[in-house]
Amino acid sequence: MRLETIVSELHFAGDTEREVLERIRGNEAQIAQAARTAYQGEGFQFPLCGRGPLTRLAVVTYLLPGWYAAYRAKGIPDGVILDTFRDVSLRARLYSEITGRAGLSEEDVIWFRHLMHVALFQIGALQFQPFEMIYLDEEGIGEPYMAFSAAQKAALPAGTPVINCHVPRGADLSPRSVEASFQSAKAFFSKHFPDGAYRAFLCYSWLLYPPMVERLPETSNIRRFAERFRVVGACDDAEQAFECLFMEGPERAPAHATALQRLALRRRELFGFACGVIGI
């Protein structure tokens, strides 16, 4: 699929599409060179992270036709590919809302390594990633970030194939939408990754943190999403929650804050990070 066709399907907000295409067309030799080295190196110290925000976005966009071909080579249908690639325009819009400029953050660049490896799929409201079970504890990451029971680790040992679940910002978390997403994901992975032998859906997220969830009304979509999971570990690290609730920082809370934002400002101790699983 041609670059212009993919870009038109991303539905960039405002003038971002024009700015991205102008950056690519006006500097194609430099963009192509930056694309060749974008994800080289070890760890997450990718050369593309050191570029300017608009160049980061232009290079990621320039790489999409190649990534599209890699997805198609695995038999992934166009609908899933383009839905997945729209994460680029979503993150560009969020970056613009925060900074007033077209571009991507360094964190966005690091995140899009999953596209390079054909390892992220938007299926309905949610994103899914083939994964291996990891426990964020002393044994798993070298620090006691969370605690997990021996029984849990015996039932789902580290390294077991799982499907990691991510919730994009603004995702429709209504029960019908979420159920459709999980059911479609089961069918998708069964068809396209038949040898995966996945044992569970995994989700590490602030949305699952029990003290917060318990404060939400029973009709809350976040609560109903969280209750699908069996929470097996948690900690009081509220960084992700506040990053998601207050993109520009809690000191710049919107004038018309949501109930959840108001709760976070009043009771930070109710927010944290949790690990949940759903058996398959």
Side-chain angles (χ1 to χ4, degrees), residues 49-217:
C49 291
R51 303 279 184 169
L54 181 56
T55 298
R56 294 177 198 141
L57 178 56
V59 169
V60 167
T61 303
Y62 186 82
L63 287 166
L64 290 178
W67 293 348
Y68 170 85
Y71 271 75
R72 286 297 297 160
K74 290 185 176 291
I76 310 303
D78 278 5
V80 172
I81 299 173
L82 294 173
D83 283 348
T84 303
F85 286 3
R86 289 188 186 104
D87 201 27
V88 175
S89 50
L90 170 62
R91 289 172 179 266
R93 177 177 61 80
L94 295 173
Y95 185 86
S96 177
E97 289 176 0
I98 295 171
T99 67
R101 297 184 295 164
L104 292 174
S105 69
E106 293 183 37
E107 291 75 17
D108 293 328
V109 168
I110 293 169
W111 171 254
F112 288 132
R113 75 190 187 279
H114 298 310
L115 298 183
M116 178 180 65
H117 296 300
V118 194
L120 188 69
F121 307 93
Q122 178 89 30
I123 303 173
L126 305 173
Q127 294 171 328
F128 298 94
Q129 172 191 13
F131 207 64
E132 293 182 352
M133 186 64 196
I134 184 171
Y135 291 98
L136 302 185
D137 60 5
E138 187 77 46
E139 184 178 7
I141 61 172
E143 61 176 285
Y145 185 66
M146 288 185 183
F148 300 89
S149 71
Q152 168 58 35
K153 297 176 84 169
L156 192 66
T160 299
V162 295
I163 301 171
N164 203 6
C165 171
H166 303 282
V167 182
R169 187 181 295 274
D172 177 5
L173 291 183
S174 65
R176 178 178 296 181
S177 177
V178 170
E179 179 65 18
S181 192
F182 276 117
Q183 292 302 323
S184 295
K186 288 180 184 179
F188 174 88
F189 281 91
S190 178
K191 177 179 180 179
H192 296 286
F193 297 88
D195 299 326
Y198 300 106
R199 293 268 308 278
F201 287 106
L202 167 70
C203 186
Y204 274 100
S205 176
W206 68 278
L207 295 170
L208 307 185
Y209 191 60
M212 180 202 73
V213 172
E214 291 166 2
R215 289 293 183 123
L216 300 177

Side-chain angles (χ1 to χ4, degrees), residues 197-264:
Y198 300 106
R199 293 268 308 278
F201 287 106
L202 167 70
C203 186
Y204 274 100
S205 176
W206 68 278
L207 295 170
L208 307 185
Y209 191 60
M212 180 202 73
V213 172
E214 291 166 2
R215 289 293 183 123
L216 300 177
E218 292 184 2
T219 56
S220 163
N221 284 338
I222 291 177
R223 178 168 185 157
R224 289 187 288 189
F225 173 79
E227 288 175 344
R228 290 174 177 270
F229 293 86
R230 179 168 58 86
V231 173
V232 299
C235 67
D236 61 1
D237 181 359
E239 181 178 357
Q240 186 192 72
F242 274 70
E243 286 179 352
C244 291
L245 287 169
F246 307 101
M247 290 194 300
E248 298 182 16
E251 69 281 358
R252 299 185 64 182
H256 302 289
T258 65
L260 194 55
Q261 288 171 326
R262 292 195 298 272
L263 179 63

